[in-house]
Amino acid sequence: MVWVRRVRTASGATAVQIVESVQGRRRIVRHVGSAHDEVTLAMLLQEADGLIVDDAQMQLDLGLHSTGRHVALLPEPTAPELLPEPPAPRGRPARPPRVTRSFSGLLYEVLAGVFDDLGFDVVADETFRDLVIARIVEPTSLLDVDRVLADLGRVSASLSTRKRTLKRAHDGRYRDLIATACFAHARSRGDISLVLYDVTTLYFEAEKEDDLRKVGFSKERRVDPQIVVGLLVDRTGFPLEIGCFEGNKAETHTLVPIIKSFQARHGIEAMVVVADAGMLSAKNLHELEDAGLSFIVGARQTSAPLDLASHYRWNGTAMVEGQIIDTLTPKHRGARADNDTQQRAEPVRRPQGAPASWRAVWAYPTKRFVRDNKTLTLQENRARAVIEGDKAARGTRFVKTSGSARSLDEAALARARMVAGLKGYVTNIPAAIMPAGEVISSYHDLWHVEASFRMSKTDLRARPFFARTREAIEAHLTIVFTALAVSRTIQDRTGLSIRKVLRDLRPLRSATIEAGGVVTDVAPAIPADKQALLDALRTPSSGH
């Protein structure tokens, strides 16, 4: 009878030995090795088992017969059994275990699990999934993706296969499949009757323009070719739709195409669209209303004196903290207002009663007034310095020029002081359906889409500077869109930023260990706090 036993040595190590029973007495057939930790011990035990039983022969020749070697017999051990360090093994020496690689397999497993939870496995393309996960972990070029995936324990597809995947993503309409899964996920969490929209620009370091990459308006004052990207999210910031437009396309012309695409994809008729003041164009608002949609957009502060003319006449220009005024604003610039200054009460918008106006809500937070007033003071001081000749005039506000003479525009400064602190909102939702406070709070949810854009630009590095053709750029944005959905879900489940989650989980590395010809993957030890994080990631948050 032959078996494997573990014996504690005098030095505190654990010896693994193959033992044979001969006429009731035990003898050591082979000393496999000594282990000082659990990983090495597991490897030695596995090697010993393999030496006893061989899959091909059923029983391995251990050299028990006709060896011509003397085998010392050991007395029956007592417990605890402490032996001196075993002598060097006879026959073929057992090579010490060694780590052949380490990898963050646990991190990949978690990210792939969230990917599948969101229903993105409907794409059924492992290479696409790998590209998405690599984008989350370490955004890099398509050429360098194999390095990132190798660190996650994955064998990357070839570069040519990765390029073909981008083509499949575009031709196979992967974005439609992902967007449909995103909609289903958002709907399962609750109300999606309100969506948020914003745009950003992504530039290219290219010498020439093409049909998509064009020089256009840039908040960063860049003159490089760029594209305009529109993003639609739910009220929590979870992405629902993404669109790509020519770099010279006005931001106001991107809203309606994205909304119509979203409606057509999901068969939606009624919903509320929230956007910032950049989307405030009469054409946009009329198209949204004609499509049966409600909207809330930011109002330009310069329209406050006209909107609040009746309020100012009857109540003066002084405001108090938290004051809200629900009134009307003309649908077209220069149009006659339905706000009758002869009426003391503020008008309420009704489609039949005020066809030339939208509903306007104005709020006065003191904190905003302090900020606006400080800015106006700085602008006034600069204007005076320009007038005195102490500073050069470079589009300075409140400087009035008449011939070669400059003077302070007192009237413009007074108007600006009068509306300091006011924040306006334009909507077509009647007050009976949505109170003014809810209009304001819904608009302020826009920070979620801004946060998603920041994540896509920083954590996911969305700028597709390695892509050149429209097909490749669209496919790249599909990967970023998918990665954004996974990242937002991770943040939602854990309450931590995606960067913090990656920093916590990436060091939990698995290892591939080779011992005596046996190769085994060993999982990492997981501290209690990291286990809590893993549990949160694997459990959908409430409302999902």
Side-chain angles (χ1 to χ4, degrees):
M1 178 181 179
V2 180
W3 72 94
V4 178
R5 72 170 180 176
R6 292 179 289 181
V7 182
R8 293 281 292 178
T9 66
S11 66
T14 302
V16 176
Q17 301 167 342
I18 297 176
V19 180
E20 181 185 32
S21 177
V22 179
Q23 297 179 351
R25 302 186 66 183
R26 297 177 185 175
R27 66 176 182 177
I28 296 176
V29 175
R30 175 170 293 179
H31 170 71
V32 182
S34 297
H36 292 270
D37 56 70
E38 292 297 325
V39 172
T40 305
L41 177 60
M43 295 299 97
L44 293 176
L45 289 172
Q46 187 168 355
E47 180 183 4
D49 289 339
L51 290 172
I52 293 177
V53 178
D54 179 55
D55 290 337
Q57 306 178 72
M58 296 304 294
Q59 183 170 356
L60 183 67
D61 181 6
L62 296 177
L64 302 181
H65 307 287
S66 304
T67 61
R69 298 176 180 174
H70 174 72
V71 179
L73 299 181
L74 296 179
E76 192 75 22
T78 58
E81 184 176 8
L82 294 179
L83 300 178
E85 287 291 344
R90 297 174 294 124
R92 181 179 61 84
R95 186 168 59 181
R98 60 174 182 168
V99 176
T100 59
R101 68 166 182 160
S102 68
F103 55 96
S104 299
L106 184 62
L107 176 58
Y108 181 91
E109 172 197 328
V110 168
L111 295 177
V114 176
F115 182 97
D116 292 345
D117 286 348
L118 291 172
F120 296 161
D121 52 347
V122 67
V123 172
D125 188 329
E126 285 192 7
T127 304
F128 175 78
R129 182 184 64 184
D130 284 353
L131 292 176
V132 170
I133 291 176
R135 173 65 43 178
I136 297 170
V137 174
E138 187 180 336
T140 186
S141 67
L142 196 66
L143 181 64
D144 197 33
V145 163
D146 54 352
R147 175 187 59 81
V148 179
L149 291 173
D151 190 63
L152 297 173
R154 296 285 294 175
V155 176
S156 174
S158 66
L159 178 60
S160 59
T161 299
R162 297 198 292 271
K163 289 181 178 179
R164 286 196 297 270
T165 300
L166 293 183
K167 189 176 189 310
R168 285 199 306 272
H170 181 266
D171 297 344
R173 304 185 69 84
Y174 283 9
R175 189 182 300 175
D176 291 349
L177 297 173
I178 296 296
T180 300
C182 284
F183 178 78
H185 174 75
R187 185 172 56 183
S188 71
R189 300 194 307 173
D191 180 25
I192 54 168
S193 61
L194 183 144
V195 294
L196 315 172
Y197 180 78
D198 204 354
V199 297
T200 191
T201 56
L202 302 175
Y203 69 89
F204 295 78
E205 294 175 356
E207 295 181 0
K208 297 181 179 180
E209 297 178 298
D210 53 34
D211 292 341
L212 177 62
R213 301 177 297 169
K214 294 182 177 295
V215 176
F217 173 75
S218 170
K219 296 176 182 177
E220 301 171 352
R221 302 183 183 275
R222 301 187 67 98
V223 293
D224 302 292
Q226 64 183 24
I227 60 174
V228 177
V229 177
L231 181 66
L232 194 70
V233 305
D234 70 6
R235 64 173 70 229
T236 70
F238 186 77
L240 298 172
E241 195 85 21
I242 194 170
C244 178
F245 303 91
E246 295 79 7
N248 61 353
K249 196 176 188 69
E251 293 182 354
T252 54
H253 295 164
T254 66
L255 173 60
V256 173
I258 289 283
I259 296 300
K260 287 185 175 179
S261 174
F262 182 73
Q263 281 185 288
R265 190 191 309 281
H266 307 297
I268 297 175
E269 295 183 359
M271 64 180 184
V272 179
V273 180
V274 182
D276 68 9
M279 301 296 111
L280 182 59
S281 75
K283 183 174 183 296
N284 269 352
L285 302 188
H286 280 289
E287 285 195 34
L288 289 175
E289 188 165 65
D290 291 344
L293 300 172
S294 301
F295 60 79
I296 301 172
V297 297
R300 296 185 177 92
Q301 201 176 51
T302 53
S303 63
L306 178 61
D307 295 355
L308 299 176
S310 177
H311 177 86
Y312 286 156
R313 175 179 180 181
W314 295 99
N315 301 283
T317 59
M319 299 282 180
V320 297
E321 165 62 21
Q323 186 169 353
I324 296 176
I325 304 163
D326 206 333
T327 185
L328 298 179
T329 189
K331 286 185 176 181
H332 301 280
R333 182 176 297 180
R336 181 179 179 182
D338 290 316
N339 191 342
D340 187 358
T341 58
Q342 302 302 316
Q343 299 293 326
R344 187 181 185 105
E346 292 295 335
V348 177
R349 180 183 185 269
R350 298 181 182 87
Q352 295 77 16
S357 301
W358 304 118
R359 179 186 175 195
V361 177
W362 289 92
Y364 181 86
T366 304
K367 184 177 180 181
R368 184 183 180 92
F369 169 78
V370 172
R371 185 188 66 192
D372 288 355
N373 200 44
K374 181 179 179 180
T375 300
L376 288 172
T377 299
L378 292 174
Q379 291 174 338
E380 180 184 356
N381 293 340
R382 178 173 178 79
R384 293 186 183 279
V386 169
I387 293 169
E388 295 296 328
D390 298 333
K391 290 187 177 181
R394 295 177 181 175
T396 306
R397 192 180 181 188
F398 305 130
V399 174
K400 185 168 56 176
T401 303
S402 178
S404 60
R406 296 191 182 102
S407 61
L408 186 67
D409 192 339
E410 300 280 0
L413 180 59
R415 286 195 301 270
R417 295 279 188 192
M418 182 175 63
V419 299
L422 286 170
K423 174 61 182 174
Y425 314 86
V426 176
T427 181
N428 62 343
I429 306 174
I433 296 177
M434 182 177 286
E438 189 175 345
V439 170
I440 296 171
S441 64
S442 296
Y443 181 86
H444 286 187
D445 282 338
L446 273 175
W447 72 269
H448 287 297
V449 68
E450 293 169 359
S452 290
F453 267 133
R454 282 196 300 273
M455 179 185 292
S456 66
K457 282 190 168 183
T458 56
D459 297 320
L460 304 178
R461 299 181 199 169
R463 184 166 71 90
F465 48 92
F466 292 109
R468 294 293 179 264
T469 66
R470 179 162 199 149
E471 179 184 87
I473 292 171
E474 292 278 12
H476 171 82
L477 289 179
T478 299
I479 290 173
V480 171
F481 177 70
T482 310
L484 178 60
V486 174
S487 299
R488 293 290 313 201
T489 302
I490 288 172
Q491 291 192 173
D492 182 52
R493 291 183 181 182
T494 63
L496 302 174
S497 70
I498 186 63
R499 289 186 182 183
K500 179 68 167 64
V501 172
L502 293 175
R503 281 199 303 266
D504 284 352
L505 295 186
R506 200 168 185 180
L508 300 179
R509 302 182 71 80
S510 303
T512 299
I513 297 177
E514 179 185 350
V518 179
V519 178
T520 303
D521 286 342
V522 179
I526 303 176
D529 59 330
K530 302 301 187 293
Q531 185 60 56
L533 176 59
L534 291 170
D535 292 342
L537 284 167
R538 290 165 174 160
T539 305
S541 57
S542 58
H544 284 227

